[in-house]
PDB file of all heavy atoms in Angstrom:
ATOM      1  N   PHE A  49     -31.574 -63.619 -44.922  1.00 94.00           N
ATOM      2  CA  PHE A  49     -30.879 -62.941 -46.017  1.00 94.00           C
ATOM      3  C   PHE A  49     -31.956 -62.614 -47.053  1.00 94.00           C
ATOM      4  O   PHE A  49     -32.446 -63.476 -47.768  1.00 94.00           O
ATOM      5  CB  PHE A  49     -29.804 -63.870 -46.575  1.00 94.00           C
ATOM      6  CG  PHE A  49     -28.890 -63.258 -47.598  1.00 94.00           C
ATOM      7  CD1 PHE A  49     -28.333 -62.007 -47.420  1.00 94.00           C
ATOM      8  CD2 PHE A  49     -28.549 -63.965 -48.747  1.00 94.00           C
ATOM      9  CE1 PHE A  49     -27.465 -61.460 -48.360  1.00 94.00           C
ATOM     10  CE2 PHE A  49     -27.692 -63.445 -49.688  1.00 94.00           C
ATOM     11  CZ  PHE A  49     -27.138 -62.188 -49.491  1.00 94.00           C
ATOM     12  N   LEU A  88     -20.352 -72.314 -41.866  1.00 84.00           N
ATOM     13  CA  LEU A  88     -19.935 -71.226 -40.988  1.00 84.00           C
ATOM     14  C   LEU A  88     -20.516 -69.895 -41.432  1.00 84.00           C
ATOM     15  O   LEU A  88     -20.907 -69.720 -42.589  1.00 84.00           O
ATOM     16  CB  LEU A  88     -18.400 -71.130 -40.992  1.00 84.00           C
ATOM     17  CG  LEU A  88     -17.645 -72.453 -40.744  1.00 84.00           C
ATOM     18  CD1 LEU A  88     -16.165 -72.266 -41.033  1.00 84.00           C
ATOM     19  CD2 LEU A  88     -17.897 -72.962 -39.337  1.00 84.00           C
ATOM     20  N   THR A  89     -20.550 -68.938 -40.516  1.00 89.00           N
ATOM     21  CA  THR A  89     -20.993 -67.591 -40.881  1.00 89.00           C
ATOM     22  C   THR A  89     -19.832 -66.750 -41.418  1.00 89.00           C
ATOM     23  O   THR A  89     -20.067 -65.772 -42.117  1.00 89.00           O
ATOM     24  CB  THR A  89     -21.623 -66.879 -39.675  1.00 89.00           C
ATOM     25  OG1 THR A  89     -20.690 -66.858 -38.588  1.00 89.00           O
ATOM     26  CG2 THR A  89     -22.897 -67.603 -39.239  1.00 89.00           C
ATOM     27  N   ASP A  90     -18.596 -67.129 -41.103  1.00 87.00           N
ATOM     28  CA  ASP A  90     -17.412 -66.440 -41.649  1.00 87.00           C
ATOM     29  C   ASP A  90     -16.472 -67.508 -42.194  1.00 87.00           C
ATOM     30  O   ASP A  90     -15.417 -67.796 -41.624  1.00 87.00           O
ATOM     31  CB  ASP A  90     -16.726 -65.611 -40.557  1.00 87.00           C
ATOM     32  CG  ASP A  90     -15.504 -64.827 -41.073  1.00 87.00           C
ATOM     33  OD1 ASP A  90     -15.357 -64.706 -42.312  1.00 87.00           O
ATOM     34  OD2 ASP A  90     -14.707 -64.352 -40.241  1.00 87.00           O
ATOM     35  N   PRO A  91     -16.843 -68.148 -43.317  1.00 86.00           N
ATOM     36  CA  PRO A  91     -16.102 -69.329 -43.780  1.00 86.00           C
ATOM     37  C   PRO A  91     -14.659 -69.046 -44.168  1.00 86.00           C
ATOM     38  O   PRO A  91     -13.832 -69.950 -44.165  1.00 86.00           O
ATOM     39  CB  PRO A  91     -16.916 -69.803 -44.988  1.00 86.00           C
ATOM     40  CG  PRO A  91     -17.625 -68.583 -45.469  1.00 86.00           C
ATOM     41  CD  PRO A  91     -17.952 -67.806 -44.229  1.00 86.00           C
ATOM     42  N   LEU A  92     -14.332 -67.801 -44.507  1.00 82.00           N
ATOM     43  CA  LEU A  92     -12.963 -67.460 -44.903  1.00 82.00           C
ATOM     44  C   LEU A  92     -12.198 -66.783 -43.779  1.00 82.00           C
ATOM     45  O   LEU A  92     -11.081 -66.296 -43.999  1.00 82.00           O
ATOM     46  CB  LEU A  92     -12.987 -66.575 -46.154  1.00 82.00           C
ATOM     47  CG  LEU A  92     -13.711 -67.163 -47.362  1.00 82.00           C
ATOM     48  CD1 LEU A  92     -13.540 -66.267 -48.573  1.00 82.00           C
ATOM     49  CD2 LEU A  92     -13.231 -68.575 -47.658  1.00 82.00           C
ATOM     50  N   GLU A  94     -12.463 -63.950 -42.366  1.00 82.00           N
ATOM     51  CA  GLU A  94     -12.012 -62.626 -42.784  1.00 82.00           C
ATOM     52  C   GLU A  94     -11.832 -61.662 -41.613  1.00 82.00           C
ATOM     53  O   GLU A  94     -11.040 -60.721 -41.706  1.00 82.00           O
ATOM     54  CB  GLU A  94     -12.984 -62.041 -43.813  1.00 82.00           C
ATOM     55  CG  GLU A  94     -12.938 -62.763 -45.136  1.00 82.00           C
ATOM     56  CD  GLU A  94     -13.747 -62.079 -46.215  1.00 82.00           C
ATOM     57  OE1 GLU A  94     -14.802 -61.504 -45.910  1.00 82.00           O
ATOM     58  OE2 GLU A  94     -13.315 -62.138 -47.380  1.00 82.00           O
ATOM     59  N   ALA A  95     -12.538 -61.915 -40.534  1.00 78.00           N
ATOM     60  CA  ALA A  95     -12.401 -61.015 -39.388  1.00 78.00           C
ATOM     61  C   ALA A  95     -10.965 -60.975 -38.881  1.00 78.00           C
ATOM     62  O   ALA A  95     -10.537 -59.980 -38.280  1.00 78.00           O
ATOM     63  CB  ALA A  95     -13.349 -61.447 -38.273  1.00 78.00           C
ATOM     64  N   THR A  98      -8.255 -58.182 -40.929  1.00 82.00           N
ATOM     65  CA  THR A  98      -8.733 -56.807 -41.066  1.00 82.00           C
ATOM     66  C   THR A  98      -7.888 -55.880 -40.202  1.00 82.00           C
ATOM     67  O   THR A  98      -8.182 -55.666 -39.025  1.00 82.00           O
ATOM     68  CB  THR A  98     -10.219 -56.714 -40.638  1.00 82.00           C
ATOM     69  OG1 THR A  98     -10.966 -57.711 -41.341  1.00 82.00           O
ATOM     70  CG2 THR A  98     -10.795 -55.348 -40.962  1.00 82.00           C
ATOM     71  N   LEU A 104      -8.960 -55.552 -46.055  1.00 91.00           N
ATOM     72  CA  LEU A 104      -8.618 -56.945 -45.837  1.00 91.00           C
ATOM     73  C   LEU A 104      -7.242 -57.196 -46.436  1.00 91.00           C
ATOM     74  O   LEU A 104      -6.995 -56.846 -47.593  1.00 91.00           O
ATOM     75  CB  LEU A 104      -9.637 -57.880 -46.502  1.00 91.00           C
ATOM     76  CG  LEU A 104     -11.041 -57.954 -45.889  1.00 91.00           C
ATOM     77  CD1 LEU A 104     -11.935 -58.861 -46.730  1.00 91.00           C
ATOM     78  CD2 LEU A 104     -10.982 -58.447 -44.462  1.00 91.00           C
ATOM     79  N   LEU A 114     -13.242 -53.216 -48.745  1.00 95.00           N
ATOM     80  CA  LEU A 114     -14.686 -53.438 -48.714  1.00 95.00           C
ATOM     81  C   LEU A 114     -15.334 -52.080 -48.900  1.00 95.00           C
ATOM     82  O   LEU A 114     -15.585 -51.336 -47.949  1.00 95.00           O
ATOM     83  CB  LEU A 114     -15.096 -54.080 -47.398  1.00 95.00           C
ATOM     84  CG  LEU A 114     -14.524 -55.481 -47.151  1.00 95.00           C
ATOM     85  CD1 LEU A 114     -15.068 -56.058 -45.856  1.00 95.00           C
ATOM     86  CD2 LEU A 114     -14.815 -56.412 -48.312  1.00 95.00           C
ATOM     87  N   ALA A 116     -18.271 -51.147 -50.263  1.00 94.00           N
ATOM     88  CA  ALA A 116     -19.721 -50.960 -50.130  1.00 94.00           C
ATOM     89  C   ALA A 116     -20.288 -52.121 -49.345  1.00 94.00           C
ATOM     90  O   ALA A 116     -19.766 -53.241 -49.391  1.00 94.00           O
ATOM     91  CB  ALA A 116     -20.385 -50.870 -51.499  1.00 94.00           C
ATOM     92  N   GLY A 117     -21.366 -51.873 -48.646  1.00 92.00           N
ATOM     93  CA  GLY A 117     -21.991 -52.906 -47.841  1.00 92.00           C
ATOM     94  C   GLY A 117     -23.262 -53.461 -48.431  1.00 92.00           C
ATOM     95  O   GLY A 117     -23.969 -54.241 -47.779  1.00 92.00           O
ATOM     96  N   SER A 118     -23.584 -53.103 -49.663  1.00 93.00           N
ATOM     97  CA  SER A 118     -24.800 -53.606 -50.294  1.00 93.00           C
ATOM     98  C   SER A 118     -24.475 -54.133 -51.679  1.00 93.00           C
ATOM     99  O   SER A 118     -23.403 -53.853 -52.238  1.00 93.00           O
ATOM    100  CB  SER A 118     -25.859 -52.502 -50.389  1.00 93.00           C
ATOM    101  OG  SER A 118     -25.399 -51.445 -51.195  1.00 93.00           O
ATOM    102  N   CYS A 126     -23.837 -66.629 -51.341  1.00 95.00           N
ATOM    103  CA  CYS A 126     -22.843 -65.604 -51.017  1.00 95.00           C
ATOM    104  C   CYS A 126     -22.083 -65.942 -49.734  1.00 95.00           C
ATOM    105  O   CYS A 126     -22.697 -66.183 -48.688  1.00 95.00           O
ATOM    106  CB  CYS A 126     -23.530 -64.250 -50.875  1.00 95.00           C
ATOM    107  SG  CYS A 126     -22.392 -62.913 -50.446  1.00 95.00           S
ATOM    108  N   PHE A 127     -20.755 -65.899 -49.801  1.00 90.00           N
ATOM    109  CA  PHE A 127     -19.970 -66.240 -48.617  1.00 90.00           C
ATOM    110  C   PHE A 127     -19.970 -65.113 -47.591  1.00 90.00           C
ATOM    111  O   PHE A 127     -19.541 -65.304 -46.446  1.00 90.00           O
ATOM    112  CB  PHE A 127     -18.534 -66.622 -49.003  1.00 90.00           C
ATOM    113  CG  PHE A 127     -17.667 -65.471 -49.462  1.00 90.00           C
ATOM    114  CD1 PHE A 127     -16.852 -64.815 -48.556  1.00 90.00           C
ATOM    115  CD2 PHE A 127     -17.652 -65.080 -50.791  1.00 90.00           C
ATOM    116  CE1 PHE A 127     -16.043 -63.771 -48.967  1.00 90.00           C
ATOM    117  CE2 PHE A 127     -16.854 -64.034 -51.208  1.00 90.00           C
ATOM    118  CZ  PHE A 127     -16.040 -63.376 -50.290  1.00 90.00           C
ATOM    119  N   ARG A 128     -20.447 -63.926 -47.977  1.00 91.00           N
ATOM    120  CA  ARG A 128     -20.544 -62.831 -47.019  1.00 91.00           C
ATOM    121  C   ARG A 128     -22.000 -62.537 -46.619  1.00 91.00           C
ATOM    122  O   ARG A 128     -22.310 -61.452 -46.155  1.00 91.00           O
ATOM    123  CB  ARG A 128     -19.890 -61.560 -47.597  1.00 91.00           C
ATOM    124  CG  ARG A 128     -18.377 -61.646 -47.714  1.00 91.00           C
ATOM    125  CD  ARG A 128     -17.736 -60.278 -47.946  1.00 91.00           C
ATOM    126  NE  ARG A 128     -16.293 -60.400 -48.077  1.00 91.00           N
ATOM    127  CZ  ARG A 128     -15.579 -59.968 -49.112  1.00 91.00           C
ATOM    128  NH1 ARG A 128     -16.192 -59.349 -50.112  1.00 91.00           N
ATOM    129  NH2 ARG A 128     -14.270 -60.128 -49.146  1.00 91.00           N
ATOM    130  N   ARG A 129     -22.872 -63.496 -46.764  1.00 92.00           N
ATOM    131  CA  ARG A 129     -24.291 -63.255 -46.480  1.00 92.00           C
ATOM    132  C   ARG A 129     -24.541 -62.975 -45.006  1.00 92.00           C
ATOM    133  O   ARG A 129     -25.588 -62.433 -44.648  1.00 92.00           O
ATOM    134  CB  ARG A 129     -25.156 -64.418 -46.967  1.00 92.00           C
ATOM    135  CG  ARG A 129     -24.809 -65.770 -46.393  1.00 92.00           C
ATOM    136  CD  ARG A 129     -25.704 -66.876 -46.957  1.00 92.00           C
ATOM    137  NE  ARG A 129     -27.055 -66.776 -46.430  1.00 92.00           N
ATOM    138  CZ  ARG A 129     -28.093 -67.453 -46.901  1.00 92.00           C
ATOM    139  NH1 ARG A 129     -27.936 -68.262 -47.938  1.00 92.00           N
ATOM    140  NH2 ARG A 129     -29.281 -67.331 -46.360  1.00 92.00           N
ATOM    141  N   HIS A 130     -23.605 -63.346 -44.128  1.00 90.00           N
ATOM    142  CA  HIS A 130     -23.767 -63.101 -42.691  1.00 90.00           C
ATOM    143  C   HIS A 130     -22.868 -61.969 -42.188  1.00 90.00           C
ATOM    144  O   HIS A 130     -22.795 -61.744 -40.980  1.00 90.00           O
ATOM    145  CB  HIS A 130     -23.449 -64.373 -41.905  1.00 90.00           C
ATOM    146  CG  HIS A 130     -24.264 -65.564 -42.313  1.00 90.00           C
ATOM    147  ND1 HIS A 130     -25.586 -65.721 -41.967  1.00 90.00           N
ATOM    148  CD2 HIS A 130     -23.941 -66.650 -43.069  1.00 90.00           C
ATOM    149  CE1 HIS A 130     -26.042 -66.858 -42.473  1.00 90.00           C
ATOM    150  NE2 HIS A 130     -25.067 -67.433 -43.145  1.00 90.00           N
ATOM    151  N   THR A 131     -22.200 -61.274 -43.089  1.00 85.00           N
ATOM    152  CA  THR A 131     -21.223 -60.262 -42.688  1.00 85.00           C
ATOM    153  C   THR A 131     -21.900 -59.059 -42.038  1.00 85.00           C
ATOM    154  O   THR A 131     -22.920 -58.562 -42.535  1.00 85.00           O
ATOM    155  CB  THR A 131     -20.410 -59.796 -43.910  1.00 85.00           C
ATOM    156  OG1 THR A 131     -19.669 -60.920 -44.415  1.00 85.00           O
ATOM    157  CG2 THR A 131     -19.440 -58.683 -43.536  1.00 85.00           C
ATOM    158  N   ASP A 132     -21.295 -58.571 -40.971  1.00 82.00           N
ATOM    159  CA  ASP A 132     -21.726 -57.321 -40.354  1.00 82.00           C
ATOM    160  C   ASP A 132     -20.990 -56.182 -41.058  1.00 82.00           C
ATOM    161  O   ASP A 132     -19.907 -55.761 -40.647  1.00 82.00           O
ATOM    162  CB  ASP A 132     -21.400 -57.336 -38.856  1.00 82.00           C
ATOM    163  CG  ASP A 132     -21.792 -56.031 -38.161  1.00 82.00           C
ATOM    164  OD1 ASP A 132     -22.392 -55.161 -38.820  1.00 82.00           O
ATOM    165  OD2 ASP A 132     -21.476 -55.900 -36.965  1.00 82.00           O
ATOM    166  N   TYR A 133     -21.576 -55.701 -42.138  1.00 80.00           N
ATOM    167  CA  TYR A 133     -20.893 -54.670 -42.927  1.00 80.00           C
ATOM    168  C   TYR A 133     -20.743 -53.364 -42.157  1.00 80.00           C
ATOM    169  O   TYR A 133     -19.828 -52.583 -42.419  1.00 80.00           O
ATOM    170  CB  TYR A 133     -21.649 -54.424 -44.229  1.00 80.00           C
ATOM    171  CG  TYR A 133     -21.437 -55.506 -45.257  1.00 80.00           C
ATOM    172  CD1 TYR A 133     -22.459 -56.377 -45.613  1.00 80.00           C
ATOM    173  CD2 TYR A 133     -20.210 -55.666 -45.877  1.00 80.00           C
ATOM    174  CE1 TYR A 133     -22.270 -57.376 -46.548  1.00 80.00           C
ATOM    175  CE2 TYR A 133     -20.002 -56.656 -46.823  1.00 80.00           C
ATOM    176  CZ  TYR A 133     -21.034 -57.510 -47.153  1.00 80.00           C
ATOM    177  OH  TYR A 133     -20.826 -58.495 -48.078  1.00 80.00           O
ATOM    178  N   GLY A 134     -21.618 -53.134 -41.203  1.00 76.00           N
ATOM    179  CA  GLY A 134     -21.496 -51.910 -40.427  1.00 76.00           C
ATOM    180  C   GLY A 134     -20.168 -51.804 -39.712  1.00 76.00           C
ATOM    181  O   GLY A 134     -19.659 -50.706 -39.475  1.00 76.00           O
ATOM    182  N   ALA A 135     -19.582 -52.957 -39.386  1.00 76.00           N
ATOM    183  CA  ALA A 135     -18.308 -52.961 -38.677  1.00 76.00           C
ATOM    184  C   ALA A 135     -17.115 -53.076 -39.621  1.00 76.00           C
ATOM    185  O   ALA A 135     -15.998 -52.720 -39.237  1.00 76.00           O
ATOM    186  CB  ALA A 135     -18.278 -54.113 -37.673  1.00 76.00           C
ATOM    187  N   MET A 136     -17.335 -53.571 -40.846  1.00 83.00           N
ATOM    188  CA  MET A 136     -16.198 -53.896 -41.706  1.00 83.00           C
ATOM    189  C   MET A 136     -16.027 -52.979 -42.916  1.00 83.00           C
ATOM    190  O   MET A 136     -14.918 -52.797 -43.403  1.00 83.00           O
ATOM    191  CB  MET A 136     -16.316 -55.343 -42.200  1.00 83.00           C
ATOM    192  CG  MET A 136     -16.131 -56.378 -41.105  1.00 83.00           C
ATOM    193  SD  MET A 136     -16.095 -58.070 -41.753  1.00 83.00           S
ATOM    194  CE  MET A 136     -14.563 -58.066 -42.684  1.00 83.00           C
ATOM    195  N   VAL A 137     -17.118 -52.435 -43.426  1.00 89.00           N
ATOM    196  CA  VAL A 137     -17.031 -51.702 -44.684  1.00 89.00           C
ATOM    197  C   VAL A 137     -16.453 -50.309 -44.467  1.00 89.00           C
ATOM    198  O   VAL A 137     -16.475 -49.773 -43.347  1.00 89.00           O
ATOM    199  CB  VAL A 137     -18.438 -51.623 -45.326  1.00 89.00           C
ATOM    200  CG1 VAL A 137     -19.308 -50.588 -44.627  1.00 89.00           C
ATOM    201  CG2 VAL A 137     -18.355 -51.352 -46.816  1.00 89.00           C
ATOM    202  N   GLY A 163     -16.891 -55.974 -51.696  1.00 91.00           N
ATOM    203  CA  GLY A 163     -17.985 -55.521 -50.838  1.00 91.00           C
ATOM    204  C   GLY A 163     -18.742 -56.694 -50.264  1.00 91.00           C
ATOM    205  O   GLY A 163     -18.139 -57.712 -49.940  1.00 91.00           O
ATOM    206  N   GLY A 164     -20.082 -56.617 -50.240  1.00 91.00           N
ATOM    207  CA  GLY A 164     -20.943 -55.821 -51.083  1.00 91.00           C
ATOM    208  C   GLY A 164     -20.415 -55.722 -52.518  1.00 91.00           C
ATOM    209  O   GLY A 164     -19.636 -56.511 -52.984  1.00 91.00           O
ATOM    210  N   VAL A 289     -20.408 -71.774 -46.312  1.00 94.00           N
ATOM    211  CA  VAL A 289     -21.169 -70.743 -45.617  1.00 94.00           C
ATOM    212  C   VAL A 289     -22.535 -71.282 -45.197  1.00 94.00           C
ATOM    213  O   VAL A 289     -23.199 -71.991 -45.974  1.00 94.00           O
ATOM    214  CB  VAL A 289     -21.305 -69.481 -46.496  1.00 94.00           C
ATOM    215  CG1 VAL A 289     -22.048 -69.777 -47.799  1.00 94.00           C
ATOM    216  CG2 VAL A 289     -21.983 -68.350 -45.734  1.00 94.00           C
TER     217      VAL A 289
END
Side-chain angles (χ1 to χ4, degrees):
F49 187 45
L88 310 169
T89 56
D90 182 15
L92 303 186
E94 291 188 325
T98 308
L104 290 176
L114 296 184
S118 62
C126 179
F127 72 94
R128 290 195 181 124
R129 58 181 288 168
H130 304 285
T131 297
D132 178 5
Y133 284 111
M136 291 186 67
V137 76
V289 61

